[in-house]
Amino acid sequence: LPSVQRYYAQRPDKRVPEDHMEVILAHQTYGQSAPEGDPENDTAVRLLLSRYGKASLFLVFDMTPGSGMHVKNLVDGFLQKSGGYGIGAFKYASVKTRWNPQHQDIEVVAVLPRKFPLRLGQGDFKTQGKACNQLNGLRFATGHYVQALDCNMGVFIGEGFKVPYVLRVFMPLDKKNRVVPRCRYLGFREFIFTGREGTVGKCHATAEWTFGTIYQRFLSGMGTRMHYGHP
């Protein structure tokens, strides 16, 4: 949009369009030592960030006692510089980073130290990992709207056409007051491309289809909407 272009032309230090939209990649195992983490996965994440280094793309991950030294050093350096904390002051922290083209590596932009791990409980009675990962990313999300996407649905071009119209349900174009919309959560069908990848993918895709149609229609009769992450 011309108005957006003029806005960032006056702010060359900003990444387009970081004041209007940001993409947060919440990664569950980034920076973790084996067997929880995988160096190849970390390399792939850094490659993705480097290719879109000038965009408003952020990586959020969880620092734990099992994190590698590179991650711990980044967090310790940030906390020493911005908060005056000592090395190893926190065992757990939610970390928001972005790509630094000059250093060719990620840089920390925000840290939320925690006393407890993301997943609470022990053994088979731990809180669900996917929900904890989304909560980790949500803590750094800003703005008026949040759209959660799974990795097996976010690459479909149809989502790019659909989401702008969904946002208009929250905030119609003819309304200026943000207290006017009555809805707070919206759910809609998704296209799961992994359903084409074999029998297992098809079974999981069918389960998702059932959850997004029959199940939700039944709940709507009770004025209820259930979400576990997307869309």
mmCIF file of all heavy atoms in Angstrom, residues 69-86:
data_model
loop_
_atom_site.group_PDB
_atom_site.id
_atom_site.type_symbol
_atom_site.label_atom_id
_atom_site.label_comp_id
_atom_site.label_asym_id
_atom_site.label_seq_id
_atom_site.Cartn_x
_atom_site.Cartn_y
_atom_site.Cartn_z
ATOM 1 N N MET A 69 25.490 -24.426 24.096
ATOM 2 C CA MET A 69 26.228 -23.289 24.628
ATOM 3 C C MET A 69 26.031 -22.039 23.778
ATOM 4 O O MET A 69 26.049 -20.921 24.309
ATOM 5 C CB MET A 69 27.714 -23.630 24.717
ATOM 6 C CG MET A 69 28.055 -24.625 25.810
ATOM 7 S SD MET A 69 27.444 -24.105 27.449
ATOM 8 C CE MET A 69 28.263 -22.520 27.637
ATOM 9 N N HIS A 70 25.834 -22.203 22.476
ATOM 10 C CA HIS A 70 25.646 -21.032 21.616
ATOM 11 C C HIS A 70 24.402 -20.258 22.035
ATOM 12 O O HIS A 70 24.429 -19.021 22.153
ATOM 13 C CB HIS A 70 25.532 -21.467 20.162
ATOM 14 C CG HIS A 70 25.308 -20.332 19.212
ATOM 15 N ND1 HIS A 70 26.207 -19.297 19.052
ATOM 16 C CD2 HIS A 70 24.269 -20.043 18.376
ATOM 17 C CE1 HIS A 70 25.758 -18.431 18.174
ATOM 18 N NE2 HIS A 70 24.574 -18.859 17.742
ATOM 19 N N VAL A 71 23.316 -20.975 22.276
ATOM 20 C CA VAL A 71 22.072 -20.339 22.708
ATOM 21 C C VAL A 71 22.241 -19.702 24.080
ATOM 22 O O VAL A 71 21.830 -18.553 24.315
ATOM 23 C CB VAL A 71 20.924 -21.363 22.718
ATOM 24 C CG1 VAL A 71 19.725 -20.819 23.494
ATOM 25 C CG2 VAL A 71 20.509 -21.727 21.301
ATOM 26 N N LYS A 72 22.851 -20.418 25.008
ATOM 27 C CA LYS A 72 23.035 -19.886 26.358
ATOM 28 C C LYS A 72 23.909 -18.629 26.349
ATOM 29 O O LYS A 72 23.645 -17.662 27.079
ATOM 30 C CB LYS A 72 23.645 -20.952 27.250
ATOM 31 C CG LYS A 72 22.709 -22.126 27.526
ATOM 32 C CD LYS A 72 23.361 -23.149 28.441
ATOM 33 C CE LYS A 72 22.406 -24.300 28.736
ATOM 34 N NZ LYS A 72 23.029 -25.339 29.595
ATOM 35 N N ASN A 73 24.946 -18.627 25.519
ATOM 36 C CA ASN A 73 25.816 -17.451 25.438
ATOM 37 C C ASN A 73 25.075 -16.243 24.865
ATOM 38 O O ASN A 73 25.280 -15.106 25.323
ATOM 39 C CB ASN A 73 27.044 -17.760 24.588
ATOM 40 C CG ASN A 73 28.000 -18.729 25.266
ATOM 41 O OD1 ASN A 73 27.992 -18.856 26.488
ATOM 42 N ND2 ASN A 73 28.805 -19.419 24.475
ATOM 43 N N LEU A 74 24.208 -16.474 23.859
ATOM 44 C CA LEU A 74 23.417 -15.379 23.302
ATOM 45 C C LEU A 74 22.497 -14.774 24.356
ATOM 46 O O LEU A 74 22.399 -13.545 24.483
ATOM 47 C CB LEU A 74 22.596 -15.877 22.109
ATOM 48 C CG LEU A 74 23.332 -16.146 20.798
ATOM 49 C CD1 LEU A 74 22.381 -16.759 19.776
ATOM 50 C CD2 LEU A 74 23.934 -14.858 20.245
ATOM 51 N N VAL A 75 21.826 -15.633 25.119
ATOM 52 C CA VAL A 75 20.894 -15.158 26.139
ATOM 53 C C VAL A 75 21.643 -14.463 27.271
ATOM 54 O O VAL A 75 21.240 -13.379 27.731
ATOM 55 C CB VAL A 75 20.051 -16.323 26.677
ATOM 56 C CG1 VAL A 75 19.181 -15.864 27.841
ATOM 57 C CG2 VAL A 75 19.177 -16.901 25.573
ATOM 58 N N ASP A 76 22.742 -15.060 27.720
ATOM 59 C CA ASP A 76 23.524 -14.439 28.802
ATOM 60 C C ASP A 76 24.051 -13.072 28.377
ATOM 61 O O ASP A 76 24.027 -12.110 29.171
ATOM 62 C CB ASP A 76 24.689 -15.342 29.196
ATOM 63 C CG ASP A 76 24.250 -16.533 30.036
ATOM 64 O OD1 ASP A 76 23.159 -16.449 30.631
ATOM 65 O OD2 ASP A 76 24.989 -17.534 30.088
ATOM 66 N N GLY A 77 24.528 -12.968 27.133
ATOM 67 C CA GLY A 77 25.036 -11.690 26.647
ATOM 68 C C GLY A 77 23.964 -10.622 26.605
ATOM 69 O O GLY A 77 24.204 -9.463 26.971
ATOM 70 N N PHE A 78 22.768 -11.012 26.182
ATOM 71 C CA PHE A 78 21.663 -10.057 26.118
ATOM 72 C C PHE A 78 21.253 -9.608 27.514
ATOM 73 O O PHE A 78 21.032 -8.420 27.767
ATOM 74 C CB PHE A 78 20.474 -10.686 25.391
ATOM 75 C CG PHE A 78 19.270 -9.793 25.308
ATOM 76 C CD1 PHE A 78 19.155 -8.839 24.308
ATOM 77 C CD2 PHE A 78 18.241 -9.901 26.234
ATOM 78 C CE1 PHE A 78 18.046 -8.012 24.220
ATOM 79 C CE2 PHE A 78 17.127 -9.078 26.168
ATOM 80 C CZ PHE A 78 17.038 -8.137 25.158
ATOM 81 N N LEU A 79 21.148 -10.556 28.456
ATOM 82 C CA LEU A 79 20.722 -10.216 29.815
ATOM 83 C C LEU A 79 21.777 -9.383 30.540
ATOM 84 O O LEU A 79 21.439 -8.494 31.333
ATOM 85 C CB LEU A 79 20.434 -11.492 30.603
ATOM 86 C CG LEU A 79 19.194 -12.283 30.170
ATOM 87 C CD1 LEU A 79 19.069 -13.563 30.976
ATOM 88 C CD2 LEU A 79 17.932 -11.448 30.317
ATOM 89 N N GLN A 80 23.046 -9.640 30.279
ATOM 90 C CA GLN A 80 24.095 -8.827 30.885
ATOM 91 C C GLN A 80 24.055 -7.398 30.368
ATOM 92 O O GLN A 80 24.238 -6.434 31.120
ATOM 93 C CB GLN A 80 25.467 -9.440 30.594
ATOM 94 C CG GLN A 80 25.814 -10.644 31.435
ATOM 95 C CD GLN A 80 27.195 -11.166 31.138
ATOM 96 O OE1 GLN A 80 27.526 -11.509 30.000
ATOM 97 N NE2 GLN A 80 28.036 -11.219 32.154
ATOM 98 N N LYS A 81 23.787 -7.259 29.075
ATOM 99 C CA LYS A 81 23.793 -5.944 28.456
ATOM 100 C C LYS A 81 22.558 -5.132 28.818
ATOM 101 O O LYS A 81 22.657 -3.923 29.076
ATOM 102 C CB LYS A 81 23.887 -6.093 26.932
ATOM 103 C CG LYS A 81 23.921 -4.777 26.179
ATOM 104 C CD LYS A 81 24.039 -5.014 24.685
ATOM 105 C CE LYS A 81 24.049 -3.695 23.908
ATOM 106 N NZ LYS A 81 24.145 -3.929 22.440
ATOM 107 N N SER A 82 21.404 -5.774 28.865
ATOM 108 C CA SER A 82 20.151 -5.036 29.046
ATOM 109 C C SER A 82 19.619 -5.072 30.471
ATOM 110 O O SER A 82 18.844 -4.197 30.866
ATOM 111 C CB SER A 82 19.072 -5.594 28.102
ATOM 112 O OG SER A 82 18.849 -6.970 28.368
ATOM 113 N N GLY A 83 20.029 -6.075 31.262
ATOM 114 C CA GLY A 83 19.463 -6.187 32.596
ATOM 115 C C GLY A 83 20.457 -6.276 33.714
ATOM 116 O O GLY A 83 20.091 -6.243 34.894
ATOM 117 N N GLY A 84 21.736 -6.421 33.374
ATOM 118 C CA GLY A 84 22.756 -6.507 34.400
ATOM 119 C C GLY A 84 22.805 -7.829 35.122
ATOM 120 O O GLY A 84 23.354 -7.920 36.228
ATOM 121 N N TYR A 85 22.239 -8.885 34.536
ATOM 122 C CA TYR A 85 22.253 -10.198 35.183
ATOM 123 C C TYR A 85 23.581 -10.905 34.930
ATOM 124 O O TYR A 85 24.247 -10.673 33.921
ATOM 125 C CB TYR A 85 21.107 -11.063 34.645
ATOM 126 C CG TYR A 85 19.736 -10.544 35.010
ATOM 127 C CD1 TYR A 85 18.996 -9.792 34.112
ATOM 128 C CD2 TYR A 85 19.178 -10.819 36.250
ATOM 129 C CE1 TYR A 85 17.733 -9.306 34.440
ATOM 130 C CE2 TYR A 85 17.916 -10.348 36.595
ATOM 131 C CZ TYR A 85 17.206 -9.589 35.684
ATOM 132 O OH TYR A 85 15.970 -9.111 36.018
ATOM 133 N N GLY A 86 23.925 -11.813 35.830
ATOM 134 C CA GLY A 86 25.144 -12.575 35.678
ATOM 135 C C GLY A 86 24.965 -13.762 34.760
ATOM 136 O O GLY A 86 23.845 -14.093 34.340
#
